[in-house]
Amino acid sequence: MRRAPWLFIAPLLLVLGCTRPEVEAFRQRPTPVHVTVSLPSNLADREPFQKEYASALRARLATRVVVIPEGVKPPVGAVELQVDIRDISPAPNRPSAAAVGVATGVTVGAISAASGNRGWGIMDGLFWGLWAGSHAAMHRERVQDRLGYQPQVVRAEVRLLQPGNPEPLWVESIEPVEVVEAMDPLPRDHRDDDGRIREEEAKGFARVVVQKLSSYFQWTRFTDQRFYEDPASKKAETPMPPAAEPPPAPKPEPPAEPKKD
């Protein structure tokens, strides 16, 4: 029994020992982070969406590391948080619970029949189709009850890139269910406001990304937000000291009085 703890400690030591040197160096001394967001080119209102998601990420990430504000040139050694949102579609475009059940039932039934279980293939498909359909319906109802609205489907891949390093420091996939679970409900008078819903979707997405980054790099929360300030701009904003006033001109001496005889 005394050797049992090593069964858990040994894999942990192995994982820690396999951490790449550049990843460990960034974990110990993180450099400023530059955030970029890209969305599908065929998405309507693509630019506003990109700005909304990038702004939410910067605001959330600035509570963990130094973030480069929008429009500021990244300094030498800064890393890039590259967010590639591959799917962002309205909730009505998602398959209904019935469609999910039918698709699952047909797939399971076909696999079961192909494996030689022809007698039970139809029953397997029916069982798993009903289960998948009811599960999808329950999930949609739970989301609607908790949030008061149906959010969009957001799926993305996020990378942390370091200049000169061909391999990302960190890569993670973001799934729709993670974003939905991280979103907050809206007041009743805002549940039909597309702008407020989009803002909350961006905040939920940012919560998921920053939580995963913080867990991987072991970041702790700051007491305030920290943004990078360009030293050149700080010098330009520093007011020049007032010029010294010239010394007063010497007063002319009064003319000498004539001597009396």
Side-chain angles (χ1 to χ4, degrees), residues 252-258:
E253 296 182 359
E257 295 182 359

Side-chain angles (χ1 to χ4, degrees), residues 63-235:
T63 61
R64 303 298 195 280
V65 291
V66 177
V67 174
I68 302 171
E70 181 182 6
V72 176
K73 182 180 179 181
V76 176
V79 298
E80 178 186 358
L81 182 65
Q82 187 181 85
V83 179
D84 181 15
I85 298 180
R86 300 180 174 179
D87 180 24
I88 179 168
S89 57
N93 291 343
R94 296 190 299 178
S96 64
V100 172
V102 171
T104 304
V106 171
T107 302
V108 173
I111 294 175
S112 181
S115 64
N117 190 13
R118 296 183 179 180
W120 290 94
I122 298 176
M123 295 301 298
D124 288 343
L126 179 62
F127 171 78
W128 289 109
L130 291 173
W131 179 87
S134 61
H135 181 74
M138 287 168 43
H139 174 73
R140 289 176 65 89
E141 292 176 1
R142 183 168 62 87
V143 170
Q144 181 72 41
D145 291 342
R146 187 177 72 86
L147 298 179
Y149 57 93
Q150 279 294 339
Q152 297 191 107
V153 173
V154 181
R155 182 178 287 104
E157 183 169 286
V158 188
R159 304 178 188 88
L160 192 65
L161 305 177
Q162 188 177 51
N165 189 350
E167 189 174 354
L169 298 177
W170 174 80
V171 179
E172 188 67 52
S173 296
I174 308 298
E175 296 299 327
V177 65
E178 297 177 297
V179 180
V180 171
E181 292 298 328
M183 294 173 62
D184 288 335
L186 292 176
R188 291 186 178 275
D189 54 343
H190 289 160
R191 292 178 179 177
D192 294 329
D193 188 335
D194 292 339
R196 287 288 289 111
I197 294 175
R198 186 172 68 183
E199 179 184 349
E200 186 53 42
E201 289 170 345
K203 288 182 178 179
F205 182 84
R207 292 184 188 109
V208 175
V209 174
V210 174
Q211 189 276 329
K212 291 191 173 187
L213 271 168
S214 301
S215 177
Y216 184 79
F217 289 102
Q218 302 173 9
W219 291 339
T220 57
R221 183 188 293 272
F222 298 150
T223 56
D224 56 355
Q225 292 178 315
R226 300 186 183 183
F227 291 98
Y228 170 78
E229 296 185 16
D230 189 354
S233 63
K234 290 180 66 176
K235 290 181 181 179

